[in-house]
């Protein structure tokens, strides 16, 4: 027997697999290589893709030839395929103003600063890029994409929590301003951060038909990668149990 939560997630993931257009996805993460498969499939579906976290840092290193602390060379090589693809399709929305810090131990005055992607040049080296400055979401291109989207999927915390939360907070606010879009948030970190930064909005989203909060962000990405939730191990087990039950009666 599938619980109501699983039934709800299987139902709503179809709206991510077959979204109303325009479709905007926001994906972040701490490791590029673990999200290559979902990113490739997501890229095919979206009208616009926003990246965050180390995934975005990796993409920027691959595109602009810069070095950012914490980004592995092997991941940069993997990201070059996405860079080449986007030269043609131009789906990636770059968040232009970032936050660089000297240390990951906290947010200390004089130890962090904003940097602008337009100033990047091959060979430049940066320290830790730990957030997107909120002003990045005010760019006309970004606002237009967010405001016109019919479907928005979020599996992202834009900054290094708990000290660098400002980019994620602004992202949530901008998304909520689009009252007509279907908004899907997925993943434990994504939901926990949403709840901690905007508790009232989070509670409202739980009872808002324009929002759906997936409990399993990694599972949703796996479904996107495979293109069909029926291939999930838990779903297969339910199907097998049903078949075995009817064989036994």
């Amino acid at each position: 027997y599938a619980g109501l939560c699983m039934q709800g997630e299987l139902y709503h993931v179809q709206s991510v697999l077959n979204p109303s257009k325009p479709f905007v996805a926001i994906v972040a993460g701490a490791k590029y290589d673990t999200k290559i498969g979902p990113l490739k499939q997501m890229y095919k579906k979206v009208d616009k893709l926003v990246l965050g976290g180390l995934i975005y840092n990796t993409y920027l290193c691959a595109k602009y030839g810069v070095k950012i602390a914490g980004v592995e060379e092997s991941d940069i090589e993997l990201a070059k395929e996405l860079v080449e693809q986007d030269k043609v399709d131009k789906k990636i929305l770059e968040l232009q103003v970032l936050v660089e810090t000297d240390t990951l131990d906290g947010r200390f005055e004089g130890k962090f600063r904003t940097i602008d992607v337009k100033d990047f040049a091959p060979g430049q080296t940066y320290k830790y890029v730990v957030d997107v400055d909120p002003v990045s979401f005010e760019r006309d291109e970004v606002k237009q994409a967010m405001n016109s989207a019919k479907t928005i999927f979020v599996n992202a915390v834009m900054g290094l929590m708990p000290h660098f939360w400002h980019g994620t907070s602004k992202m949530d606010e901008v998304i909520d301003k689009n009252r007509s879009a279907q908004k899907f948030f997925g993943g434990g970190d994504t939901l926990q951060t949403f709840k901690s930064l905007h508790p009232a909005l989070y509670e409202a989203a739980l009872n808002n038909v324009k929002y759906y909060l997936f409990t399993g962000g990694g599972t949703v990405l796996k479904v996107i990668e495979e293109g069909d939730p029926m291939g999930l191990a838990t779903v297969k087990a339910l199907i097998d149990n049903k078949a075995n039950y009817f064989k036994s009666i």
Side-chain angles (χ1 to χ4, degrees):
Y1 175 73
L4 294 177
C5 181
M6 178 179 286
Q7 291 180 47
E9 303 225 336
L10 290 173
Y11 174 80
H12 285 92
V13 79
Q14 294 296 335
S15 295
V16 179
L17 292 173
N18 302 287
S20 297
K21 299 279 195 159
F23 176 33
V24 174
I26 307 173
V27 180
K31 200 86 169 71
Y32 188 88
D33 63 355
T34 61
K35 292 195 175 179
I36 292 175
L39 268 180
K40 284 182 177 179
Q41 296 305 316
M42 184 71 78
Y43 191 90
K44 295 176 183 178
K45 295 179 181 297
V46 300
D47 295 284
K48 293 296 179 182
L49 176 64
V50 177
L51 301 175
L54 273 174
I55 288 179
Y56 188 39
N57 293 353
T58 304
Y59 170 82
L60 292 173
C61 288
K63 180 173 181 179
Y64 292 102
V66 298
K67 301 294 182 185
I68 297 175
V71 177
E72 298 180 9
E73 286 294 333
S74 58
D75 285 345
I76 294 173
E77 288 301 313
L78 293 172
K80 287 179 179 179
E81 180 181 347
L82 181 60
V83 171
E84 290 303 312
Q85 186 174 5
D86 201 60
K87 286 180 180 179
V88 178
D89 297 330
K90 302 186 185 304
K91 292 184 177 183
I92 294 178
L93 277 176
E94 293 189 4
L95 300 174
Q96 191 168 315
V97 184
L98 311 174
V99 179
E100 178 193 29
T101 181
D102 300 334
T103 175
L104 299 178
D105 295 331
R107 187 182 181 95
F108 303 110
E109 198 64 38
K111 296 290 186 180
F112 68 92
R113 64 209 62 85
T114 58
I115 57 176
D116 199 312
V117 171
K118 67 179 175 57
D119 297 325
F120 282 7
Q124 289 179 332
T125 300
Y126 293 91
K127 295 180 180 178
Y128 301 100
V129 174
V130 290
D131 201 3
V132 173
D133 191 274
V135 73
S136 294
F137 287 99
E138 295 294 338
R139 281 182 58 216
D140 288 343
E141 185 182 12
V142 176
K143 287 173 65 176
Q144 195 278 332
M146 293 294 190
N147 292 338
S148 64
K150 291 290 192 297
T151 306
I152 302 173
F153 172 76
V154 184
N155 179 245
V157 176
M158 304 307 288
L160 181 65
M161 298 294 290
H163 306 293
F164 296 93
W165 50 266
H166 305 73
T168 307
S169 180
K170 182 65 174 181
M171 175 191 75
D172 293 339
E173 293 170 4
V174 170
I175 290 170
D176 187 61
K177 287 179 180 177
N178 184 336
R179 298 303 170 90
S180 63
Q182 289 296 143
K183 297 172 278 285
F184 300 95
F185 283 63
D189 290 342
T190 302
L191 297 187
Q192 183 57 45
T193 304
F194 184 24
K195 184 177 182 179
S196 66
L197 294 177
H198 299 284
L201 177 56
Y202 176 87
E203 291 298 325
L206 292 174
N207 298 300
N208 186 334
V209 295
K210 290 297 183 180
Y211 276 89
Y212 187 77
L213 309 182
F214 290 103
T215 58
T219 301
V220 175
L221 291 177
K222 183 67 174 175
V223 171
I224 291 169
E225 182 178 4
E226 296 186 354
D228 183 3
M230 295 301 111
L232 292 175
T234 51
V235 177
K236 284 182 177 179
L238 286 169
I239 294 171
D240 290 343
N241 286 344
K242 179 180 178 181
N244 291 334
Y245 171 78
F246 282 108
K247 285 179 182 178
S248 66
I249 59 176

